[in-house]
Amino acid sequence: FGQSGPRVEDPDDDLNPYLGEVQKWNVWHKDNDLWYMVGKQDTSLFKKRDDAEMCRHLDACGGISASKAEDGMVVFRLPKMEVGLVVVCGCCGKDVGQNMFMDNENLEISFNTVPLNKTTFDVWPNKKCVRLLKKFPTSGRESETPTGHHYLALKLLENQVGADVRISHVFTI
């Protein structure tokens, strides 16, 4: 419904500002059964029907992740935005944002090819998400969009120690 949100940019797309750089993060999803997150009443009504597949809940856990510097980066082409708010959420856990994105010295986060200053980030709107930008940059190279699109890139600088960097959502306004 509505306009599409951020999408992972094709590493070979001519508009990708990181064309030619390694972009090998892994897409993953949990293989939930048909009745995952379907209400009890719907389950009891439809469980024995031949057309039960129509009940499948479309919200399945998944995302994109990396653990090694050799995975390079992931680049998101962002949709047209009114405000310039950019938020990234991690998986899996209720409070992974601070450690995964803000305190992770092995992770570089860039907007329009310019590395962002992590001291400007904050945990928002919950503890698994981090607000990278509150509004559009108004000066400098990060405010420029030569291709007509804004881009967000996350790059592992060194191998992760402990948990992978796992992105479940990127959202913008």
Side-chain angles (χ1 to χ4, degrees):
F1 305 110
Q3 296 184 5
S4 62
R7 68 176 183 149
V8 175
E9 182 64 289
D10 182 336
D12 299 319
D13 190 298
D14 289 338
L15 294 179
N16 185 336
Y18 297 94
L19 182 67
E21 294 195 39
V22 176
Q23 298 173 44
K24 297 191 308 187
W25 283 42
N26 301 304
V27 174
W28 57 271
H29 71 278
K30 294 210 176 184
D31 192 20
N32 297 323
D33 76 11
L34 172 64
W35 302 108
Y36 176 73
M37 294 184 71
V38 176
K40 290 179 184 178
Q41 282 185 322
D42 288 338
T43 300
S44 66
L45 289 171
F46 286 92
K47 194 159 192 154
K48 295 182 177 159
R49 289 178 51 153
D50 292 336
D51 60 352
E53 183 63 33
M54 77 167 101
C55 296
R56 183 178 297 278
H57 194 281
L58 298 178
D59 184 16
C61 298
I64 192 163
S65 62
S67 60
K68 305 181 299 290
E70 297 84 45
D71 294 331
M73 63 177 53
V74 60
V75 179
F76 294 94
R77 182 188 292 191
L78 304 178
K80 292 192 184 301
M81 296 182 279
E82 298 294 324
V83 177
L85 173 77
V86 179
V87 177
V88 63
C89 300
C91 179
C92 295
K94 301 266 185 226
D95 61 354
V96 297
Q98 179 85 33
N99 290 336
M100 191 174 296
F101 303 112
M102 294 175 65
D103 297 340
N104 188 344
E105 294 179 11
N106 295 328
L107 183 67
E108 179 181 84
I109 303 174
S110 300
F111 183 76
N112 291 342
T113 73
V114 178
L116 295 173
N117 181 345
K118 290 184 181 182
T119 63
T120 65
F121 299 174
D122 63 332
V123 173
W124 185 90
N126 59 49
K127 292 182 178 181
K128 66 187 290 183
C129 301
V130 171
R131 180 169 39 189
L132 306 176
L133 290 174
K134 294 178 183 177
K135 61 182 181 174
F136 286 117
T138 56
S139 62
R141 201 172 80 232
E142 62 268 35
S143 67
E144 300 171 6
T145 58
T147 65
H149 300 282
H150 291 287
Y151 291 91
L152 176 68
L154 289 87
K155 179 179 183 178
L156 279 180
L157 303 174
E158 295 181 23
N159 293 347
Q160 276 297 103
V161 176
D164 294 357
V165 174
R166 295 171 63 96
I167 300 170
S168 63
H169 297 83
V170 173
F171 65 90
T172 62
I173 298 177

